[in-house]
């Protein structure tokens, strides 16, 4: 766009009366923001919406559908955030609002203007040089600039600048007002602007906020486009129930996230797709261990064993309803000890190590899915988390895990691997302690992450049991990168408390970045820790099981 001599945007005479925070709240309401309980790519060239219609098409903006499924606007400064929002959600805008980045009061007034007439709000400031703003006006096909406050921008011929917040001048008289010469441009008044209609919203696009201070101008542009806003504390749309439910209601094809903390756009798109399923994990949201400042995390307390087999643990000592009630009672004992969400759980031995070879020679007896289903589904219905535990003998973990894919497809079911019971071809249970190479564990993790992602399931707990370093060969290469999984190393040592503390310290030394589990044994521990003593273990265990 040429930068020929033309009127400048001048300071107005009136300021906004309300604080910026009030304006932000109002903008979120206008944009349909959903309240919560709690490196990015540059925006691509937008695709004009074909749905925009108006009785005044010449002054009605055309909205854009973002090209990729997720666009992350870094929003490093207020003026850059405003520009990024305009570039992403508007394809054409004959009217643009303008204010100075260092004038919050003017921004507040301009935000109201923008949302009223359905126009983007741009800001002048050092982060966005005037030529860049002029390029954006050119791209938008802007003919009217509604300037507020102390903004200053030389606009080219053909663009009219109005000052909606300027004090009206005294009525001129014929004697005091000379006729304009051919080289003069009359100063327009607010009444000069024809009626501008708000554009029709583009379906399928949602904006995400919640990772920092809300940029007023960017939010105003989003609100002017009629794009609903979902608040996402911490930047992960799976973190809270409110965020999940809001995204499930909108089921967006595209999201525009304001703030670099939302991270990689491809990862964000995957998380939004999962949240849009609306499925919730035990304890709320879709994350196993949410870590959002100001919001509670989760702690899990589980009973261990196999239904119908008392010799294998407490899960077999009572029927299904009594098992669920007992798990809830164990968890209840910890509620006064933590501000985190307490989640009762059951860890079910799905494949049981056997002393003699099974017909397939595996030394592992698989409990049929239909035998486990009553407890699994009853636990899920009661809000419990479920973990399936594998003791594979001479077969491998992946083969056994795949046998339980129907149960693992449930949103509240995770998986545990027990290397103590993973035998070499010449080993027998109770004569040798089993072990496994980390590559086999990583293969299971990759398969489970893929299953979780493809089915839009909440994040799954992935547990590796261990009481000796030699049980997992190459543990330093344990893959903890799958966004669909929360990896837990569960320390299974039993005996005296000094011995258990030593095992805990040994296994934590040099470990990869994981969460930690602790096991209390009713009969083998000397003595078994009570809830307060268990919660005094440092770091506080994320998962406590009882066997």
């Amino acid at each position: 766009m040429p930068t020929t001599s033309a009127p400048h945007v001048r300071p107005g005479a009136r300021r906004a009366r309300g604080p910026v925070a009030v304006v932000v709240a109002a903008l979120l309401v206008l944009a349909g923001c959903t309240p919560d309980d709690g490196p990015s790519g540059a925006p691509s060239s937008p695709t004009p919406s074909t749905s925009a219609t108006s009785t005044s098409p010449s002054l009605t903006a055309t909205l854009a559908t973002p090209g990729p499924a997720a666009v992350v606007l870094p929003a490093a400064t207020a003026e850059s955030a405003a520009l990024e929002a305009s570039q992403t959600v508007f394809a054409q805008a004959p009217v643009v609002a303008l204010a100075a980045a260092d004038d919050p009061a003017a921004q507040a007034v301009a935000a109201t203007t923008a949302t009223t007439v359905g126009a983007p709000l741009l800001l002048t400031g050092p982060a966005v040089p005037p030529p860049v703003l002029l390029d954006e006006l050119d791209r938008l096909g802007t003919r009217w600039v509604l300037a507020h406050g102390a903004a200053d921008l030389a606009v080219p011929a053909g663009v009219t600048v109005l000052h909606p917040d300027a004090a009206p001048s005294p009525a001129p008289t014929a004697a005091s007002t000379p006729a304009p010469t051919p080289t003069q441009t009359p100063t327009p008044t607010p009444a000069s602007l024809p009626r501008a209609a708000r554009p029709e919203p583009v379906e399928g696009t949602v904006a995400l906020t919640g990772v920092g201070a809300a940029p007023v101008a960017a939010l105003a542009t989003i609100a002017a486009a009629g794009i609903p806003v979902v608040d996402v504390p911490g930047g992960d749309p799976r973190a809270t129930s409110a965020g999940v439910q809001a995204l499930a209601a909108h089921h967006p094809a595209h999201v525009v996230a304001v703030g670099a903390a939302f991270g990689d756009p491809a990862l964000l798109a995957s998380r939004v797709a999962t949240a849009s399923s609306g499925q919730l994990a035990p304890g709320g949201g879709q994350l196993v261990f949410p870590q959002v400042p100001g919001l509670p995390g989760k702690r899990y307390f589980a009973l261990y064993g196999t239904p119908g087999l008392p010799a294998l643990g407490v899960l077999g000592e009572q029927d299904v309803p009594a098992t669920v009630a007992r798990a809830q009672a164990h968890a209840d004992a910890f509620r006064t000890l933590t501000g985190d969400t307490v989640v009762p759980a059951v860890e079910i031995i799905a494949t049981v190590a056997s002393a003699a070879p099974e017909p397939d020679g595996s030394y592992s007896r698989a409990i049929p899915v239909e035998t486990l289903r009553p407890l699994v589904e009853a636990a899920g219905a009661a809000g419990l988390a479920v973990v399936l535990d594998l003791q594979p003998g001479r077969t491998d973990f992946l083969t056994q895990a795949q046998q339980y894919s129907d149960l693992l497809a449930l949103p509240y079911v995770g998986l545990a691997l027990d290397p103590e019971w993973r035998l070499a071809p010449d080993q027998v249970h109770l004569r040798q302690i089993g072990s496994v190479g980390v590559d086999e564990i990583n293969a299971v993790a990759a398969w489970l992450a893929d299953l979780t992602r493809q089915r839009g399931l909440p994040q799954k707990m992935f547990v590796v049991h261990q009481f000796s370093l030699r049980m997992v060969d190459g543990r330093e290469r344990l893959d903890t990168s799958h966004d669909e999984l929360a990896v837990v190393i569960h320390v299974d040592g039993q005996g005296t408390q000094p011995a258990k503390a030593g095992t805990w310290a040994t296994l934590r030394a040099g470990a990869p970045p994981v969460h930690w589990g602790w096991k209390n044994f009713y009969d083998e521990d000397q003595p078994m820790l009570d809830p307060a003593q268990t919660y005094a273990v440092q770091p506080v265990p994320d998962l406590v099981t009882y066997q």
Side-chain angles (χ1 to χ4, degrees), residues 131-505:
V132 176
L133 285 178
L134 293 174
D135 285 344
E136 179 64 359
L137 295 182
D138 187 36
R139 183 189 73 83
L140 292 169
T142 301
R143 294 187 288 121
W144 302 81
V145 174
L146 308 182
H148 296 268
D152 185 20
L153 182 67
V155 297
V159 177
T160 301
V161 179
L162 302 181
H163 303 279
D165 54 354
S169 301
T173 65
S176 63
T177 305
T181 67
T183 59
Q184 291 177 323
T185 302
T187 302
T189 65
S192 303
L193 178 65
R195 182 178 178 84
R198 293 187 64 177
E200 288 291 329
V202 176
E203 297 295 329
T205 300
V206 167
L208 306 180
T209 61
V211 296
V216 173
L219 286 181
T221 295
I222 289 168
I227 296 174
V229 177
V230 176
D231 190 42
V232 179
D236 191 331
R238 305 168 300 170
T240 64
S241 294
V244 170
Q245 290 164 345
L247 286 169
H250 293 294
H251 207 82
H254 304 274
V255 295
V256 179
V258 183
F262 279 100
D264 177 69
L267 177 60
L268 177 62
S270 176
R271 290 174 170 179
V272 168
T274 297
S276 296
S277 74
Q279 300 181 87
L280 296 177
Q286 292 185 331
L287 297 181
V288 176
F289 299 110
Q291 296 176 303
V292 180
L295 296 179
K298 293 182 186 177
R299 306 282 180 179
Y300 296 80
F301 304 91
L303 300 184
Y304 181 88
T306 298
L309 296 173
L312 294 181
V314 295
L315 289 187
E317 295 179 354
Q318 59 279 310
D319 62 14
V320 167
T323 294
V324 171
R326 186 172 180 180
Q328 291 171 327
H330 269 71
D332 287 344
F334 287 85
R335 294 189 187 278
T336 60
L337 302 174
T338 178
D340 290 331
T341 299
V342 169
V343 183
V346 291
E347 184 173 351
I348 304 172
I349 307 173
T351 62
V352 183
S354 54
E358 297 296 320
D360 61 357
S362 66
Y363 283 79
S364 178
R365 178 163 55 90
I367 307 297
V369 168
E370 294 311 311
T371 300
L372 299 178
R373 192 178 293 277
L375 176 56
V376 170
E377 293 186 346
L384 276 64
V386 176
V387 178
L388 302 181
D389 183 74
L390 304 180
Q391 300 177 353
R394 292 183 181 178
T395 189
D396 64 275
F397 282 116
L398 181 57
T399 297
Q400 288 203 332
Q402 291 171 338
Q403 296 176 27
Y404 294 94
S405 58
D406 285 351
L407 295 180
L408 291 167
L410 296 171
Y412 49 86
V413 178
L415 185 65
L417 311 183
D418 208 338
E420 176 186 2
W421 309 106
R422 173 65 170 96
L423 299 177
D426 59 347
Q427 290 181 327
V428 177
H429 293 306
L430 302 181
R431 294 183 189 174
Q432 296 92 12
I433 295 175
S435 63
V436 67
V438 75
D439 291 337
E440 184 173 322
I441 295 176
N442 289 343
V444 179
W447 172 81
L448 185 61
D450 189 57
L451 173 74
T452 303
R453 181 176 57 258
Q454 289 183 355
R455 304 204 181 195
L457 297 169
Q459 195 179 51
K460 289 192 176 294
M461 188 182 296
F462 183 60
V463 181
V464 178
H465 287 279
Q466 191 175 20
F467 60 79
S468 169
L469 287 173
R470 65 175 179 267
M471 287 170 58
V472 180
D473 183 29
R475 190 186 69 163
E476 68 279 0
R477 294 188 292 108
L478 180 65
D479 189 353
T480 61
S481 67
H482 297 291
D483 195 53
E484 300 83 4
L485 307 180
V487 182
V488 178
I489 292 179
H490 197 284
V491 180
D492 288 351
Q494 59 179 264
T496 66
Q497 290 306 322
K500 288 171 68 77
T503 301
W504 178 259

